[in-house]
Amino acid sequence: MSAPLSHLDLLEAESIHIFREAAAQFRKPVLMYSIGKDSTVLLHLARKAFFPEKPPFPLLHVDTTWKFREMIAFRNKTARDLGLDLIVHTNQDGLARGINPIDHAPSVYTDVMKTAALKQALDMHGFDAAFGGARRDEEASRAKERVFSFRAAGHRWDPRKQRPEMWRLLNGRLGSGETVRVFPLSNWTEKDVWRYLAREKLDVVPLYFAAERPTVERNGQLLVVDDERFKLEPGEHVEARRVRFRTLGCYPLTAAVASEASDIEGVVAETLAARTSERVGRLIDHDQSGAMEKKKQEGYF
Amino acid sequence: MTALTRIDEAGSTPLATASLNGILRVLTCGSVDDGKSTLIGRLLWDASDLFDDQRATLERGRRIDGGHPDYSLLVDGLVAEREQGITIDIAWRYFDTATRRFVVIDSPGHEQYTRNMASGASHADVAIMLVDARAGIKKQTRRHAAILDLVGLKRVVLAVNKMDLAGWSEPRFREIERDFQVIAARFHFDEAVAIPVSAALGDNVARPSDSMDWYRGPTLLSHLESLPSRGAEAAGPFRMPVQTVLRQGVDFRGLAGTVSSGVIHVGDPVVDPVSGRAANVKRIATFDGDLRRAAVGQAIVLQLDTDIDVSRGAILAAAEGRPHPARDLGTHLVWLSDTPFDTDNGYLLRTATDLVPVSAMEITSRLDLETLAEHPASTCAANDIVLARISLGRPTALDLFRNAGETGSFMLVDPISGATVAGGVVTELAGAEPKGARKAGVFVLSRDNLEGGLCADLGWGAADQVEFRRRANEVALLLSAAGIAVELDLQS
Ligand SMILES: Nc1nc2c(ncn2[C@@H]2O[C@H](COP(=O)(O)OP(=O)(O)OP(=O)(O)O)[C@@H](O)[C@H]2O)c(=O)[nH]1
Ligand SMILES: [Mg+2]
C-alpha cells in the first residue's frame, strides 16, 4: 500500500477536476488572471488539468492602469513564455472620466475600474464562465460561496439563492441570461497557496519577496511608491524600508508589510506563523462592513 | 517521478513547506437556534490559529449571555445572517492541527434552507448533530438525520448543547442520548457518540468541563482528532468517470478524469460498461510525468492500448463488478426546489460526468418525519425525502450508492432554468435490454429520426449536440404525454 495522498495532493486533484468539469460544460470560458499568487497557482493548475493540451481558454486581465509595474512585466512574460492568449481590458470610459484611486473613494474607483470593467469584458467577448482564484478562507462572505457560482443577468450574485452543490457533482446548466464564476481554489487557504508555490517551484511577482522599497506610512499602513502618480500628503515623506506584499492589488490601495522574507522558504515560514489575515492589507475591504458581499452582489469578482 | 513518491520524501522537505497528512470535513447540523454556529465559532476561537485581527473584531462586536463574544459571527458572514441572527447558507472554515486539515462546514437549521444543509452534508466525513438540551430532538433534527443517512454519512456526534441552561443535568443528557440512539439505529449510523457541551461557555468543546464531573468521555475536539482522515479507508473496484478527451498529435488520445474508487496500474484491463468494450491501460499520464499506478482521488489522463471510442459521460471501470448500464433506477432523494415535483416537467439526471434525459419518474413513498416511517406517496415538495423510480431516455453507467458513492449519486436538473431540483442516490438498478431486443409497442426515437427534419439545422459541435439532445428529450416527453411508450437511441 502506498501512503495516502497529502492534503496538497487532494487539493490539487480537486482543482483539476473542477477545471475539467467547467471546460466540458461551458461554451466559452475565460481565466481571470490577476497576476497575484492565487492566479499563479490557478494558471499552473489549469496547465496540469489539460495536459498534454494547453488550457482551452484565454487569460483575461482587467487592467485598472494602477497595477505595479513589476506586475505588468510579470503578466506579459508569463503569457509569452506559456504561449497563452492574453486579453487585457481597461474601462476606457472610466479612464476618460479620470477615475483613479487617489482622487476618488476606493469604492467608486473599484466599482468603475474593476467591477464595471470586468462586466464589460465578459459581455464584450460573450464569456459564459470565468475562472477566478478566490478562496473561501479569504473573507466571511466568500466562505459562503459555491464552486460554480451563478450570476443572474447583469452579473448579480444573490447569496440567498445559491444552487445546491452535492458530492463532487457540478451542475453547469445555465438558465437564460445566467453566467457563472468558477472557483477551483475554493478550498485552499493562504498557507496552502504558499506551500504549493514552494513545492511546485513556481515564480511569483518579486513584490511578494522582501526588498528595500520606497515607502510612505499612512494610517498605520505601509504604502509603496511605484511611480510619480503617488501624491504625498502634508507631513509625509518617502523612506526606504524592507517590505513585501501578502496580497497584490492596485497601487496605492494595497499595503505592504515589513518583512525579512526574501525567498519563498522565508515567505512560507512567515505565512505559517502569521498573526493577522492577509486582507488587512487591502484598503478597499475596510470601506464599510459587509463590503465584500455588497461588491459581489454588484458583480465584483 | 510519481505524485506518490513525493510524499515518501516528505521527511526530507523543510518543515515549513511540509504538507499535512490528511483532511477531515466536519459538518454541523440540527434544528434552528440549537447553537451550531456558536459551537463552530467557539471551536475556532479555542482551538484554531485564528488571526489576531479576526479575534479583535469579534471582541469589539456584540455580546451574548454571560458576556461572551458572539462566536457565531465567525461563521455567519452574510449581512442578512448577522442582522437576523440565523444562518442562511453553509460556511466553510479551515484550520490545521499539527498533522491534519480540519474543514468545518456550518449549516443552517432553518427548514427553508434545508437545500443548503444537504449540500454541506454531502461533502462531510463526520457530522456533529446539535440538540438544545432544553428542547430535545425536534422534527428538523430528524430531517437532518435522514439527510445524513441519504448522503451516506456513517459517523455522527450528538452534541447536547446549552447544558448550562439545563442545570448541567446528567438525567436530561441521558434522556436525549436515548432518544438519539433510536434515530441512530433507524439510520444505521456506525458510530453515534453523545457529548454534553456548552458552546457559549466552551465546556467539552476544546477543554473538559468543570461543571459536569459525571461525564468522563472525550471533548468534542479530542473526539474529532481521533477520527481517520478522508479517503484513508477508501477501497473498492476501480472507477474513473471520463470528464474530457485530451489529445496530443495523432497518437495520443487521453481520457481525463479523477479516480473515484479503487486503484489502476499500467497494463490493467478496463471496460466501458455501456458499450461493453474493453481495453488495457497503456499510459497513466500527468503533467508531472507518467505514473505506474493511480488511486482514488487522483486526477489523471489514461491512454488505452486500443481506441474503444469512449468520451465524456462514460465510466472506465474494472471488469469485475463493473457499473450497470442503467435505464431504470430505484432512488432515494431529497427534493431541493421550491417548485414541487411535476410529472409533466422534463428533468435531466446529472451523474458524475453524464447528463441524461429522464423519460419517466414516479414517487413511490415519502418519509414521515414524526414517525420516521415510509408512507406511500406520489407527490413531493421542498425538503421532502422520498423514494422514487426513474427511467432514463438512454442507458448510462451507474453504481449502487452503497457500493461506490461517487458513481451512485446524482442530481436532478430542470432543463429550462438549469436549477438543481433534487439530490439523490441509486438504491436499485435495472439494466438496458441488449440492442435489437426491444420490447414490442415501444417507439424508438433514433438519431436518424431527428437528423433529417427537426435537427437539420444542427451540426456536430458540442453546443449543437447539447441542443440535439434537448430537442430529442422534448420530443420524447411529448410522445409519452400522448401515451406512446418511447425510448431514445442517440448513439451515432
Ligand atoms: N446559554 C447558551 N446559549 C447558547 C449556547 N449555544 C448557543 N447559544 C445561543 O443560542 C442562540 C442561537 O445560536 P446559533 O449558534 O446562532 O444557532 P444555530 O444553530 O447556528 O442557528 P441556525 O444556524 O440559524 O440554525 C444564540 O443566541 C446563542 O448565543 C450555549 O451553549 N449556551
Ligand atoms: Mg447557524
Side-chain angles (χ1 to χ4, degrees), chain A residues 13 17 21 48 53 143-144 146 160 165 167-168 171 173 187 191-192 199 272 275 277 293, chain B residues 6 49-50 52-53 79 81 84 89 94 101 113 115 122-123 243 247 258 288 406 415 418 420:
Chain A
H17 184 83
E21 275 310 287
K48 288 198 176 195
E53 295 182 12
K144 300 258 156 187
R146 298 284 188 266
R160 284 175 172 276
E165 209 160 73
W167 298 286
R168 216 199 292 253
N171 168 21
R173 198 173 172 88
N187 290 324
K191 293 173 185 175
D192 297 333
R199 181 180 104 165
L272 294 184
R275 294 304 323 146
S277 63
E293 183 183 342
Chain B
R6 220 185 274 137
D49 43 2
L50 207 62
D52 290 345
D53 50 303
V79 172
E81 292 178 327
Q84 298 169 36
D89 210 333
Y94 309 81
R101 158 72 38 86
Y113 304 116
R115 61 175 191 277
S122 71
H123 293 107
Q243 293 185 280
R247 293 166 203 277
T258 306
D288 300 296
E406 276 197 40
T420 303

Side-chain angles (χ1 to χ4, degrees), chain A residues 179-231:
Chain A
T179 55
V180 69
R181 308 283 186 272
V182 180
F183 299 118
L185 303 185
S186 284
N187 290 324
W188 293 58
T189 66
E190 184 192 16
K191 293 173 185 175
D192 297 333
V193 165
W194 280 111
R195 280 192 270 225
Y196 189 73
L197 289 165
R199 181 180 104 165
E200 302 288 309
K201 302 191 169 49
L202 299 176
D203 282 337
V204 290
V205 184
L207 291 163
Y208 283 114
F209 301 121
E212 292 264 307
R213 296 192 169 94
T215 62
V216 169
E217 196 178 330
R218 184 178 292 172
N219 303 327
Q221 306 254 31
L222 290 177
L223 305 181
V224 169
V225 180
D226 197 51
D227 59 30
E228 69 299 337
R229 293 180 294 179
F230 195 100
K231 286 190 197 134

Side-chain angles (χ1 to χ4, degrees), chain B residues 210-369:
Chain B
D210 295 329
S211 308
M212 293 179 279
D213 51 9
W214 47 265
Y215 175 76
R216 293 185 205 296
T219 62
L220 181 65
L221 181 65
S222 58
H223 178 62
L224 293 176
E225 283 182 322
S226 75
L227 299 177
S229 289
R230 86 179 343 229
E233 303 157 291
F238 173 71
R239 300 279 187 272
M240 189 191 87
V242 176
Q243 293 185 280
T244 187
V245 177
L246 298 169
R247 293 166 203 277
Q248 189 176 44
V250 285
D251 294 333
F252 186 86
R253 181 175 189 272
L255 302 168
T258 306
V259 180
S260 68
S261 161
V263 180
I264 190 81
H265 298 86
V266 172
D268 285 353
V270 290
V271 300
D272 165 22
V274 174
S275 70
R277 285 187 279 248
N280 297 309
V281 174
K282 184 173 166 193
R283 268 181 74 188
I284 305 174
T286 78
F287 182 89
D288 300 296
D290 283 9
L291 306 178
R292 274 172 294 112
R293 168 193 189 277
V296 61
Q298 285 182 280
I300 53 174
V301 181
L302 290 184
Q303 187 190 11
L304 305 180
D305 62 353
T306 46
D307 185 0
I308 56 170
D309 191 31
V310 277
S311 54
R312 179 172 172 81
I315 297 178
L316 288 179
E320 287 298 307
R322 64 182 75 174
H324 252 67
R327 270 206 98 106
D328 293 299
L329 332 172
T331 69
H332 184 193
L333 58 88
V334 53
W335 198 258
L336 304 168
S337 167
D338 290 333
T339 314
F341 167 68
D342 177 355
T343 44
D344 295 334
N345 193 123
Y347 295 105
L348 298 167
L349 188 93
R350 154 117 258 143
T351 67
T353 60
D354 206 357
L355 187 65
V356 195
V358 169
S359 59
M361 178 168 163
E362 181 196 2
I363 310 290
T364 54
S365 70
R366 182 168 49 236
L367 184 69
D368 180 330
L369 290 168

